[in-house]
Amino acid sequence: MPSDLHAHTTFSDGKLAPEELVAAAKAAGLTYLAITDHDTVDGVGHLYESGLLPAKGIKIIPGIEFSAHHPVHEIHVLGYNVDIYYRDLIDKLNDVTEARWTRFSEMVEKLCKQGYQITETEVLTIAGASRSISRSHIARILVRKGYFESIRDAFSAMLQKGKPAYVPHYHLELSEIVELIKAAGGTPVLAHPKLVGDDELVEQICSSGIEGLEVFYPQHNEEDTQRYMEMAERHGLLVSGGSDFHGYATRYPQELGLFTIEDKWAEQFYRP
Ligand code: AMP
Ligand code: MN
Ligand code: MN
Ligand code: MN
C-alpha cells in the first residue's frame, strides 16, 4: 500500500482544503498522509477543530514545512507530529507569517514598478484561508492576468532569488527550527535534499541534529535516491519521502497517489 509524507493545503499554497486533501488521499488508497504546509499548522488545526482528525479510513500525520535562513541555498525542514498548540511554536509561526505579510506587499510594489498591474487585494483573494502568503500566490495572479504562460515562467523571470521582484522574508535559522520542532514533540526531517543544491551542505545538515531525510521525492532520479538513502544510513537518519503535492495542473504530481512511497517508511512517523 502507498503513502505520501509531503502535501500542501489551502492554508499555505495548495489547491485543496484540508478535508478535500484527506478525501483525495482516501480515494487514492493511501495508508498514511502527512499534511505539511509552509510555515503554518492552521490546516491541521482546522481538521482537529472540525472533528476530522483522527480521520476515518486513513492515518494522518500532522506536520509542517519550514524554510530556513540561508544566504544562497533553499533549505526546507519538515516537522512531523509537532504539537500544534505548543506556545513557542505558535509565537514563532506568528512572527514568520507576519513577516510574509509585509514581504508580499513589497513584492507587489516591485512588480507594479516593473509595469505589472497587480494589486494586494488580488493576491489576498487568491490566498484565501492562507495566512502564509507566498510567492506562489503572486505567481498565480501574474499567470491569470496573462503576464506569463506558467507559474514556473513567472518565477524564472521575476520571483526567484536574484530576480527583480524577489524579496527575502524572515526565516528562522536551521538550528532554531530543528530545536523548535523537537521542543514541540516532533521529528525534524530535511526536505528535498537535491533542491538544496549542494550535497556538502546536505551532509553538514545531516549531522546537525536533524532526525530524518526526504530520500524519496519526485525530482530525485534513481541515482539521487540511492545516494540520499546511503547518506541517511550513514548518519542514522529516518527515511522519509513524499510528493510535495500542491494540487495544480502544471505541477507534478497533478493528482495525489501518482507519486507515493512504501508504507514501511511512513509508519515510522505515525503516532496513533
Ligand atoms: P515562498 O515561500 O513565498 O518563498 O515561495 C516558495 C514556494 O513557491 C514554494 O513552496 C513552491 O511551491 C513555489 N516555487 C518556488 N520556486 C518555484 C518555481 N521555480 N516554479 C514554481 N513554483 C515555485
Ligand atoms: Mn509550495
Ligand atoms: Mn519545500
Ligand atoms: Mn513542500
Side-chain angles (χ1 to χ4, degrees), residues 118-155:
I118 72 165
T119 66
E120 291 190 11
T121 310
E122 287 170 324
V123 179
L124 290 179
T125 304
I126 211 160
S130 175
R131 282 197 303 151
S132 183
I133 313 288
S134 84
R135 285 180 283 165
S136 309
H137 298 118
I138 298 176
R140 262 175 237 159
I141 293 292
L142 290 170
V143 172
R144 180 183 288 181
K145 298 196 104 175
Y147 290 118
F148 296 98
E149 291 259 317
S150 70
I151 291 183
R152 183 151 314 184
D153 291 346
F155 268 89

PDB file of all heavy atoms in Angstrom, residues 118-155:
ATOM      1  N   ILE A 118      -0.756  44.531 -10.792  1.00  0.00           N
ATOM      2  CA  ILE A 118      -1.438  43.625  -9.869  1.00  0.00           C
ATOM      3  C   ILE A 118      -1.638  44.359  -8.544  1.00  0.00           C
ATOM      4  O   ILE A 118      -0.905  45.295  -8.220  1.00  0.00           O
ATOM      5  CB  ILE A 118      -0.696  42.279  -9.657  1.00  0.00           C
ATOM      6  CG1 ILE A 118       0.576  42.449  -8.815  1.00  0.00           C
ATOM      7  CG2 ILE A 118      -0.353  41.620 -10.987  1.00  0.00           C
ATOM      8  CD1 ILE A 118       1.100  41.117  -8.306  1.00  0.00           C
ATOM      9  N   THR A 119      -2.643  43.927  -7.793  1.00  0.00           N
ATOM     10  CA  THR A 119      -2.941  44.604  -6.528  1.00  0.00           C
ATOM     11  C   THR A 119      -2.818  43.628  -5.357  1.00  0.00           C
ATOM     12  O   THR A 119      -2.909  42.401  -5.541  1.00  0.00           O
ATOM     13  CB  THR A 119      -4.385  45.154  -6.519  1.00  0.00           C
ATOM     14  OG1 THR A 119      -5.291  44.039  -6.548  1.00  0.00           O
ATOM     15  CG2 THR A 119      -4.649  46.070  -7.703  1.00  0.00           C
ATOM     16  N   GLU A 120      -2.642  44.199  -4.180  1.00  0.00           N
ATOM     17  CA  GLU A 120      -2.566  43.371  -2.963  1.00  0.00           C
ATOM     18  C   GLU A 120      -3.856  42.589  -2.773  1.00  0.00           C
ATOM     19  O   GLU A 120      -3.837  41.427  -2.368  1.00  0.00           O
ATOM     20  CB  GLU A 120      -2.319  44.263  -1.740  1.00  0.00           C
ATOM     21  CG  GLU A 120      -0.935  44.874  -1.730  1.00  0.00           C
ATOM     22  CD  GLU A 120      -0.602  45.568  -0.418  1.00  0.00           C
ATOM     23  OE1 GLU A 120      -1.353  45.410   0.563  1.00  0.00           O
ATOM     24  OE2 GLU A 120       0.421  46.267  -0.383  1.00  0.00           O
ATOM     25  N   THR A 121      -4.980  43.246  -3.079  1.00  0.00           N
ATOM     26  CA  THR A 121      -6.277  42.582  -2.903  1.00  0.00           C
ATOM     27  C   THR A 121      -6.377  41.319  -3.759  1.00  0.00           C
ATOM     28  O   THR A 121      -6.889  40.296  -3.309  1.00  0.00           O
ATOM     29  CB  THR A 121      -7.423  43.556  -3.276  1.00  0.00           C
ATOM     30  OG1 THR A 121      -7.177  44.764  -2.578  1.00  0.00           O
ATOM     31  CG2 THR A 121      -8.783  43.011  -2.920  1.00  0.00           C
ATOM     32  N   GLU A 122      -5.881  41.412  -4.985  1.00  0.00           N
ATOM     33  CA  GLU A 122      -5.931  40.220  -5.857  1.00  0.00           C
ATOM     34  C   GLU A 122      -5.148  39.072  -5.243  1.00  0.00           C
ATOM     35  O   GLU A 122      -5.596  37.915  -5.249  1.00  0.00           O
ATOM     36  CB  GLU A 122      -5.349  40.555  -7.236  1.00  0.00           C
ATOM     37  CG  GLU A 122      -6.252  41.418  -8.080  1.00  0.00           C
ATOM     38  CD  GLU A 122      -5.550  41.946  -9.334  1.00  0.00           C
ATOM     39  OE1 GLU A 122      -4.331  42.264  -9.281  1.00  0.00           O
ATOM     40  OE2 GLU A 122      -6.223  42.049 -10.368  1.00  0.00           O
ATOM     41  N   VAL A 123      -3.967  39.387  -4.704  1.00  0.00           N
ATOM     42  CA  VAL A 123      -3.136  38.329  -4.116  1.00  0.00           C
ATOM     43  C   VAL A 123      -3.826  37.760  -2.873  1.00  0.00           C
ATOM     44  O   VAL A 123      -3.894  36.542  -2.687  1.00  0.00           O
ATOM     45  CB  VAL A 123      -1.724  38.855  -3.769  1.00  0.00           C
ATOM     46  CG1 VAL A 123      -0.881  37.759  -3.134  1.00  0.00           C
ATOM     47  CG2 VAL A 123      -1.024  39.402  -5.008  1.00  0.00           C
ATOM     48  N   LEU A 124      -4.366  38.643  -2.041  1.00  0.00           N
ATOM     49  CA  LEU A 124      -5.026  38.174  -0.814  1.00  0.00           C
ATOM     50  C   LEU A 124      -6.264  37.348  -1.130  1.00  0.00           C
ATOM     51  O   LEU A 124      -6.577  36.384  -0.434  1.00  0.00           O
ATOM     52  CB  LEU A 124      -5.404  39.366   0.069  1.00  0.00           C
ATOM     53  CG  LEU A 124      -4.213  40.073   0.703  1.00  0.00           C
ATOM     54  CD1 LEU A 124      -4.684  41.246   1.545  1.00  0.00           C
ATOM     55  CD2 LEU A 124      -3.402  39.106   1.566  1.00  0.00           C
ATOM     56  N   THR A 125      -6.957  37.703  -2.203  1.00  0.00           N
ATOM     57  CA  THR A 125      -8.153  36.944  -2.583  1.00  0.00           C
ATOM     58  C   THR A 125      -7.757  35.531  -2.984  1.00  0.00           C
ATOM     59  O   THR A 125      -8.369  34.550  -2.554  1.00  0.00           O
ATOM     60  CB  THR A 125      -8.899  37.656  -3.736  1.00  0.00           C
ATOM     61  OG1 THR A 125      -9.188  38.976  -3.310  1.00  0.00           O
ATOM     62  CG2 THR A 125     -10.184  36.932  -4.096  1.00  0.00           C
ATOM     63  N   ILE A 126      -6.695  35.426  -3.770  1.00  0.00           N
ATOM     64  CA  ILE A 126      -6.272  34.088  -4.196  1.00  0.00           C
ATOM     65  C   ILE A 126      -5.675  33.309  -3.021  1.00  0.00           C
ATOM     66  O   ILE A 126      -5.782  32.086  -2.952  1.00  0.00           O
ATOM     67  CB  ILE A 126      -5.295  34.169  -5.400  1.00  0.00           C
ATOM     68  CG1 ILE A 126      -5.474  32.910  -6.266  1.00  0.00           C
ATOM     69  CG2 ILE A 126      -3.865  34.309  -4.984  1.00  0.00           C
ATOM     70  CD1 ILE A 126      -4.965  33.082  -7.657  1.00  0.00           C
ATOM     71  N   ALA A 127      -5.101  34.031  -2.060  1.00  0.00           N
ATOM     72  CA  ALA A 127      -4.518  33.354  -0.894  1.00  0.00           C
ATOM     73  C   ALA A 127      -5.604  32.802   0.038  1.00  0.00           C
ATOM     74  O   ALA A 127      -5.364  31.873   0.799  1.00  0.00           O
ATOM     75  CB  ALA A 127      -3.592  34.293  -0.140  1.00  0.00           C
ATOM     76  N   GLY A 128      -6.787  33.367  -0.035  1.00  0.00           N
ATOM     77  CA  GLY A 128      -7.939  32.824   0.699  1.00  0.00           C
ATOM     78  C   GLY A 128      -7.677  32.592   2.170  1.00  0.00           C
ATOM     79  O   GLY A 128      -7.364  33.520   2.904  1.00  0.00           O
ATOM     80  N   ALA A 129      -7.763  31.340   2.597  1.00  0.00           N
ATOM     81  CA  ALA A 129      -7.631  30.978   4.008  1.00  0.00           C
ATOM     82  C   ALA A 129      -6.194  31.055   4.501  1.00  0.00           C
ATOM     83  O   ALA A 129      -5.933  30.957   5.695  1.00  0.00           O
ATOM     84  CB  ALA A 129      -8.151  29.560   4.219  1.00  0.00           C
ATOM     85  N   SER A 130      -5.243  31.199   3.578  1.00  0.00           N
ATOM     86  CA  SER A 130      -3.842  31.102   3.963  1.00  0.00           C
ATOM     87  C   SER A 130      -3.324  32.370   4.626  1.00  0.00           C
ATOM     88  O   SER A 130      -3.443  33.462   4.084  1.00  0.00           O
ATOM     89  CB  SER A 130      -2.995  30.805   2.724  1.00  0.00           C
ATOM     90  OG  SER A 130      -1.638  30.814   3.069  1.00  0.00           O
ATOM     91  N   ARG A 131      -2.722  32.189   5.812  1.00  0.00           N
ATOM     92  CA  ARG A 131      -2.028  33.313   6.441  1.00  0.00           C
ATOM     93  C   ARG A 131      -0.579  33.319   5.997  1.00  0.00           C
ATOM     94  O   ARG A 131       0.193  34.210   6.313  1.00  0.00           O
ATOM     95  CB  ARG A 131      -2.077  33.170   7.974  1.00  0.00           C
ATOM     96  CG  ARG A 131      -3.410  33.567   8.568  1.00  0.00           C
ATOM     97  CD  ARG A 131      -3.271  33.809  10.058  1.00  0.00           C
ATOM     98  NE  ARG A 131      -2.735  32.632  10.744  1.00  0.00           N
ATOM     99  CZ  ARG A 131      -2.015  32.689  11.861  1.00  0.00           C
ATOM    100  NH1 ARG A 131      -1.722  33.844  12.411  1.00  0.00           N
ATOM    101  NH2 ARG A 131      -1.595  31.569  12.434  1.00  0.00           N
ATOM    102  N   SER A 132      -0.180  32.235   5.319  1.00  0.00           N
ATOM    103  CA  SER A 132       1.201  32.086   4.878  1.00  0.00           C
ATOM    104  C   SER A 132       1.281  32.506   3.410  1.00  0.00           C
ATOM    105  O   SER A 132       1.286  31.680   2.508  1.00  0.00           O
ATOM    106  CB  SER A 132       1.596  30.611   5.071  1.00  0.00           C
ATOM    107  OG  SER A 132       2.925  30.397   4.736  1.00  0.00           O
ATOM    108  N   ILE A 133       1.288  33.828   3.203  1.00  0.00           N
ATOM    109  CA  ILE A 133       1.253  34.365   1.839  1.00  0.00           C
ATOM    110  C   ILE A 133       2.593  34.083   1.161  1.00  0.00           C
ATOM    111  O   ILE A 133       3.644  34.403   1.718  1.00  0.00           O
ATOM    112  CB  ILE A 133       1.045  35.903   1.835  1.00  0.00           C
ATOM    113  CG1 ILE A 133      -0.084  36.312   2.787  1.00  0.00           C
ATOM    114  CG2 ILE A 133       0.806  36.412   0.425  1.00  0.00           C
ATOM    115  CD1 ILE A 133      -1.453  35.970   2.360  1.00  0.00           C
ATOM    116  N   SER A 134       2.538  33.507  -0.047  1.00  0.00           N
ATOM    117  CA  SER A 134       3.799  33.119  -0.664  1.00  0.00           C
ATOM    118  C   SER A 134       3.923  33.630  -2.091  1.00  0.00           C
ATOM    119  O   SER A 134       2.971  34.136  -2.681  1.00  0.00           O
ATOM    120  CB  SER A 134       3.962  31.603  -0.631  1.00  0.00           C
ATOM    121  OG  SER A 134       3.302  31.016  -1.720  1.00  0.00           O
ATOM    122  N   ARG A 135       5.128  33.439  -2.617  1.00  0.00           N
ATOM    123  CA  ARG A 135       5.385  33.808  -3.998  1.00  0.00           C
ATOM    124  C   ARG A 135       4.466  33.042  -4.939  1.00  0.00           C
ATOM    125  O   ARG A 135       4.140  33.524  -6.019  1.00  0.00           O
ATOM    126  CB  ARG A 135       6.855  33.507  -4.343  1.00  0.00           C
ATOM    127  CG  ARG A 135       7.825  34.493  -3.756  1.00  0.00           C
ATOM    128  CD  ARG A 135       9.246  34.129  -4.139  1.00  0.00           C
ATOM    129  NE  ARG A 135       9.753  33.024  -3.344  1.00  0.00           N
ATOM    130  CZ  ARG A 135      10.837  32.314  -3.626  1.00  0.00           C
ATOM    131  NH1 ARG A 135      11.510  32.579  -4.724  1.00  0.00           N
ATOM    132  NH2 ARG A 135      11.243  31.351  -2.836  1.00  0.00           N
ATOM    133  N   SER A 136       4.058  31.832  -4.532  1.00  0.00           N
ATOM    134  CA  SER A 136       3.147  31.043  -5.383  1.00  0.00           C
ATOM    135  C   SER A 136       1.855  31.799  -5.642  1.00  0.00           C
ATOM    136  O   SER A 136       1.321  31.772  -6.747  1.00  0.00           O
ATOM    137  CB  SER A 136       2.761  29.727  -4.711  1.00  0.00           C
ATOM    138  OG  SER A 136       3.882  29.049  -4.287  1.00  0.00           O
ATOM    139  N   HIS A 137       1.337  32.480  -4.610  1.00  0.00           N
ATOM    140  CA  HIS A 137       0.076  33.215  -4.786  1.00  0.00           C
ATOM    141  C   HIS A 137       0.263  34.362  -5.780  1.00  0.00           C
ATOM    142  O   HIS A 137      -0.574  34.589  -6.642  1.00  0.00           O
ATOM    143  CB  HIS A 137      -0.422  33.749  -3.431  1.00  0.00           C
ATOM    144  CG  HIS A 137      -0.721  32.667  -2.446  1.00  0.00           C
ATOM    145  ND1 HIS A 137      -0.050  32.533  -1.249  1.00  0.00           N
ATOM    146  CD2 HIS A 137      -1.610  31.649  -2.484  1.00  0.00           C
ATOM    147  CE1 HIS A 137      -0.522  31.479  -0.588  1.00  0.00           C
ATOM    148  NE2 HIS A 137      -1.468  30.925  -1.315  1.00  0.00           N
ATOM    149  N   ILE A 138       1.384  35.062  -5.640  1.00  0.00           N
ATOM    150  CA  ILE A 138       1.670  36.177  -6.555  1.00  0.00           C
ATOM    151  C   ILE A 138       1.827  35.644  -7.986  1.00  0.00           C
ATOM    152  O   ILE A 138       1.280  36.203  -8.938  1.00  0.00           O
ATOM    153  CB  ILE A 138       2.944  36.929  -6.101  1.00  0.00           C
ATOM    154  CG1 ILE A 138       2.719  37.541  -4.704  1.00  0.00           C
ATOM    155  CG2 ILE A 138       3.346  37.989  -7.121  1.00  0.00           C
ATOM    156  CD1 ILE A 138       3.943  38.233  -4.107  1.00  0.00           C
ATOM    157  N   ALA A 139       2.543  34.515  -8.114  1.00  0.00           N
ATOM    158  CA  ALA A 139       2.771  33.927  -9.441  1.00  0.00           C
ATOM    159  C   ALA A 139       1.447  33.573 -10.114  1.00  0.00           C
ATOM    160  O   ALA A 139       1.270  33.775 -11.320  1.00  0.00           O
ATOM    161  CB  ALA A 139       3.649  32.681  -9.316  1.00  0.00           C
ATOM    162  N   ARG A 140       0.519  33.063  -9.334  1.00  0.00           N
ATOM    163  CA  ARG A 140      -0.763  32.672  -9.912  1.00  0.00           C
ATOM    164  C   ARG A 140      -1.515  33.870 -10.475  1.00  0.00           C
ATOM    165  O   ARG A 140      -2.139  33.772 -11.527  1.00  0.00           O
ATOM    166  CB  ARG A 140      -1.634  32.003  -8.835  1.00  0.00           C
ATOM    167  CG  ARG A 140      -1.548  30.496  -8.926  1.00  0.00           C
ATOM    168  CD  ARG A 140      -2.313  29.868  -7.791  1.00  0.00           C
ATOM    169  NE  ARG A 140      -1.422  29.007  -7.052  1.00  0.00           N
ATOM    170  CZ  ARG A 140      -1.619  28.617  -5.796  1.00  0.00           C
ATOM    171  NH1 ARG A 140      -2.687  29.010  -5.144  1.00  0.00           N
ATOM    172  NH2 ARG A 140      -0.753  27.815  -5.214  1.00  0.00           N
ATOM    173  N   ILE A 141      -1.417  34.996  -9.785  1.00  0.00           N
ATOM    174  CA  ILE A 141      -2.070  36.208 -10.293  1.00  0.00           C
ATOM    175  C   ILE A 141      -1.390  36.653 -11.590  1.00  0.00           C
ATOM    176  O   ILE A 141      -2.055  37.011 -12.559  1.00  0.00           O
ATOM    177  CB  ILE A 141      -2.003  37.348  -9.240  1.00  0.00           C
ATOM    178  CG1 ILE A 141      -2.850  36.990  -8.015  1.00  0.00           C
ATOM    179  CG2 ILE A 141      -2.459  38.676  -9.820  1.00  0.00           C
ATOM    180  CD1 ILE A 141      -4.342  36.944  -8.283  1.00  0.00           C
ATOM    181  N   LEU A 142      -0.063  36.590 -11.609  1.00  0.00           N
ATOM    182  CA  LEU A 142       0.656  37.013 -12.821  1.00  0.00           C
ATOM    183  C   LEU A 142       0.269  36.149 -14.021  1.00  0.00           C
ATOM    184  O   LEU A 142       0.143  36.636 -15.146  1.00  0.00           O
ATOM    185  CB  LEU A 142       2.171  36.959 -12.587  1.00  0.00           C
ATOM    186  CG  LEU A 142       2.739  38.014 -11.630  1.00  0.00           C
ATOM    187  CD1 LEU A 142       4.193  37.712 -11.289  1.00  0.00           C
ATOM    188  CD2 LEU A 142       2.622  39.429 -12.226  1.00  0.00           C
ATOM    189  N   VAL A 143       0.052  34.855 -13.781  1.00  0.00           N
ATOM    190  CA  VAL A 143      -0.351  33.954 -14.871  1.00  0.00           C
ATOM    191  C   VAL A 143      -1.802  34.244 -15.256  1.00  0.00           C
ATOM    192  O   VAL A 143      -2.128  34.383 -16.440  1.00  0.00           O
ATOM    193  CB  VAL A 143      -0.181  32.467 -14.461  1.00  0.00           C
ATOM    194  CG1 VAL A 143      -0.788  31.537 -15.505  1.00  0.00           C
ATOM    195  CG2 VAL A 143       1.298  32.143 -14.258  1.00  0.00           C
ATOM    196  N   ARG A 144      -2.648  34.387 -14.246  1.00  0.00           N
ATOM    197  CA  ARG A 144      -4.076  34.640 -14.517  1.00  0.00           C
ATOM    198  C   ARG A 144      -4.263  35.907 -15.338  1.00  0.00           C
ATOM    199  O   ARG A 144      -5.129  36.000 -16.189  1.00  0.00           O
ATOM    200  CB  ARG A 144      -4.824  34.766 -13.187  1.00  0.00           C
ATOM    201  CG  ARG A 144      -6.304  35.021 -13.382  1.00  0.00           C
ATOM    202  CD  ARG A 144      -7.024  35.204 -12.083  1.00  0.00           C
ATOM    203  NE  ARG A 144      -7.149  33.958 -11.345  1.00  0.00           N
ATOM    204  CZ  ARG A 144      -7.771  33.863 -10.168  1.00  0.00           C
ATOM    205  NH1 ARG A 144      -8.319  34.913  -9.618  1.00  0.00           N
ATOM    206  NH2 ARG A 144      -7.843  32.714  -9.549  1.00  0.00           N
ATOM    207  N   LYS A 145      -3.416  36.926 -15.072  1.00  0.00           N
ATOM    208  CA  LYS A 145      -3.561  38.186 -15.795  1.00  0.00           C
ATOM    209  C   LYS A 145      -2.832  38.173 -17.145  1.00  0.00           C
ATOM    210  O   LYS A 145      -2.772  39.187 -17.832  1.00  0.00           O
ATOM    211  CB  LYS A 145      -3.057  39.350 -14.932  1.00  0.00           C
ATOM    212  CG  LYS A 145      -3.875  39.484 -13.647  1.00  0.00           C
ATOM    213  CD  LYS A 145      -3.666  40.803 -12.972  1.00  0.00           C
ATOM    214  CE  LYS A 145      -4.848  41.710 -13.202  1.00  0.00           C
ATOM    215  NZ  LYS A 145      -4.737  42.965 -12.461  1.00  0.00           N
ATOM    216  N   GLY A 146      -2.285  37.019 -17.494  1.00  0.00           N
ATOM    217  CA  GLY A 146      -1.709  36.863 -18.831  1.00  0.00           C
ATOM    218  C   GLY A 146      -0.279  37.354 -18.990  1.00  0.00           C
ATOM    219  O   GLY A 146       0.243  37.378 -20.098  1.00  0.00           O
ATOM    220  N   TYR A 147       0.374  37.711 -17.869  1.00  0.00           N
ATOM    221  CA  TYR A 147       1.751  38.184 -17.991  1.00  0.00           C
ATOM    222  C   TYR A 147       2.730  37.043 -18.276  1.00  0.00           C
ATOM    223  O   TYR A 147       3.762  37.251 -18.884  1.00  0.00           O
ATOM    224  CB  TYR A 147       2.184  38.924 -16.720  1.00  0.00           C
ATOM    225  CG  TYR A 147       1.502  40.255 -16.539  1.00  0.00           C
ATOM    226  CD1 TYR A 147       0.679  40.510 -15.441  1.00  0.00           C
ATOM    227  CD2 TYR A 147       1.685  41.279 -17.482  1.00  0.00           C
ATOM    228  CE1 TYR A 147       0.055  41.739 -15.273  1.00  0.00           C
ATOM    229  CE2 TYR A 147       1.062  42.510 -17.318  1.00  0.00           C
ATOM    230  CZ  TYR A 147       0.247  42.736 -16.220  1.00  0.00           C
ATOM    231  OH  TYR A 147      -0.362  43.946 -16.070  1.00  0.00           O
ATOM    232  N   PHE A 148       2.399  35.847 -17.774  1.00  0.00           N
ATOM    233  CA  PHE A 148       3.265  34.683 -18.007  1.00  0.00           C
ATOM    234  C   PHE A 148       2.409  33.473 -18.361  1.00  0.00           C
ATOM    235  O   PHE A 148       1.256  33.382 -17.966  1.00  0.00           O
ATOM    236  CB  PHE A 148       4.107  34.374 -16.759  1.00  0.00           C
ATOM    237  CG  PHE A 148       5.074  35.461 -16.417  1.00  0.00           C
ATOM    238  CD1 PHE A 148       4.765  36.397 -15.444  1.00  0.00           C
ATOM    239  CD2 PHE A 148       6.274  35.574 -17.108  1.00  0.00           C
ATOM    240  CE1 PHE A 148       5.642  37.434 -15.149  1.00  0.00           C
ATOM    241  CE2 PHE A 148       7.161  36.608 -16.813  1.00  0.00           C
ATOM    242  CZ  PHE A 148       6.851  37.538 -15.840  1.00  0.00           C
ATOM    243  N   GLU A 149       3.029  32.552 -19.112  1.00  0.00           N
ATOM    244  CA  GLU A 149       2.334  31.327 -19.527  1.00  0.00           C
ATOM    245  C   GLU A 149       2.171  30.374 -18.350  1.00  0.00           C
ATOM    246  O   GLU A 149       1.189  29.655 -18.253  1.00  0.00           O
ATOM    247  CB  GLU A 149       3.182  30.598 -20.586  1.00  0.00           C
ATOM    248  CG  GLU A 149       3.265  31.324 -21.905  1.00  0.00           C
ATOM    249  CD  GLU A 149       2.318  30.716 -22.920  1.00  0.00           C
ATOM    250  OE1 GLU A 149       2.260  29.477 -22.979  1.00  0.00           O
ATOM    251  OE2 GLU A 149       1.638  31.491 -23.627  1.00  0.00           O
ATOM    252  N   SER A 150       3.186  30.349 -17.477  1.00  0.00           N
ATOM    253  CA  SER A 150       3.140  29.373 -16.383  1.00  0.00           C
ATOM    254  C   SER A 150       3.732  29.974 -15.115  1.00  0.00           C
ATOM    255  O   SER A 150       4.456  30.984 -15.162  1.00  0.00           O
ATOM    256  CB  SER A 150       3.955  28.134 -16.759  1.00  0.00           C
ATOM    257  OG  SER A 150       5.320  28.471 -16.772  1.00  0.00           O
ATOM    258  N   ILE A 151       3.418  29.331 -14.014  1.00  0.00           N
ATOM    259  CA  ILE A 151       3.945  29.749 -12.715  1.00  0.00           C
ATOM    260  C   ILE A 151       5.471  29.699 -12.746  1.00  0.00           C
ATOM    261  O   ILE A 151       6.156  30.593 -12.265  1.00  0.00           O
ATOM    262  CB  ILE A 151       3.352  28.846 -11.615  1.00  0.00           C
ATOM    263  CG1 ILE A 151       1.850  29.173 -11.484  1.00  0.00           C
ATOM    264  CG2 ILE A 151       4.088  29.019 -10.292  1.00  0.00           C
ATOM    265  CD1 ILE A 151       1.116  28.430 -10.419  1.00  0.00           C
ATOM    266  N   ARG A 152       5.977  28.633 -13.370  1.00  0.00           N
ATOM    267  CA  ARG A 152       7.431  28.480 -13.489  1.00  0.00           C
ATOM    268  C   ARG A 152       8.060  29.682 -14.190  1.00  0.00           C
ATOM    269  O   ARG A 152       9.078  30.206 -13.751  1.00  0.00           O
ATOM    270  CB  ARG A 152       7.718  27.193 -14.270  1.00  0.00           C
ATOM    271  CG  ARG A 152       9.170  26.877 -14.407  1.00  0.00           C
ATOM    272  CD  ARG A 152       9.346  25.404 -14.515  1.00  0.00           C
ATOM    273  NE  ARG A 152       8.532  24.749 -13.478  1.00  0.00           N
ATOM    274  CZ  ARG A 152       8.510  23.464 -13.238  1.00  0.00           C
ATOM    275  NH1 ARG A 152       9.235  22.675 -13.947  1.00  0.00           N
ATOM    276  NH2 ARG A 152       7.764  22.948 -12.281  1.00  0.00           N
ATOM    277  N   ASP A 153       7.424  30.127 -15.296  1.00  0.00           N
ATOM    278  CA  ASP A 153       7.944  31.284 -16.043  1.00  0.00           C
ATOM    279  C   ASP A 153       7.940  32.540 -15.171  1.00  0.00           C
ATOM    280  O   ASP A 153       8.872  33.345 -15.217  1.00  0.00           O
ATOM    281  CB  ASP A 153       7.103  31.558 -17.295  1.00  0.00           C
ATOM    282  CG  ASP A 153       7.269  30.476 -18.355  1.00  0.00           C
ATOM    283  OD1 ASP A 153       8.218  29.677 -18.227  1.00  0.00           O
ATOM    284  OD2 ASP A 153       6.443  30.426 -19.281  1.00  0.00           O
ATOM    285  N   ALA A 154       6.878  32.698 -14.386  1.00  0.00           N
ATOM    286  CA  ALA A 154       6.789  33.874 -13.507  1.00  0.00           C
ATOM    287  C   ALA A 154       7.928  33.850 -12.485  1.00  0.00           C
ATOM    288  O   ALA A 154       8.551  34.881 -12.207  1.00  0.00           O
ATOM    289  CB  ALA A 154       5.437  33.900 -12.811  1.00  0.00           C
ATOM    290  N   PHE A 155       8.228  32.647 -11.963  1.00  0.00           N
ATOM    291  CA  PHE A 155       9.349  32.521 -11.017  1.00  0.00           C
ATOM    292  C   PHE A 155      10.673  32.838 -11.704  1.00  0.00           C
ATOM    293  O   PHE A 155      11.468  33.625 -11.182  1.00  0.00           O
ATOM    294  CB  PHE A 155       9.399  31.111 -10.412  1.00  0.00           C
ATOM    295  CG  PHE A 155       8.630  30.993  -9.128  1.00  0.00           C
ATOM    296  CD1 PHE A 155       7.289  30.650  -9.123  1.00  0.00           C
ATOM    297  CD2 PHE A 155       9.238  31.237  -7.900  1.00  0.00           C
ATOM    298  CE1 PHE A 155       6.572  30.549  -7.936  1.00  0.00           C
ATOM    299  CE2 PHE A 155       8.538  31.143  -6.713  1.00  0.00           C
ATOM    300  CZ  PHE A 155       7.199  30.795  -6.731  1.00  0.00           C
TER     301      PHE A 155
END
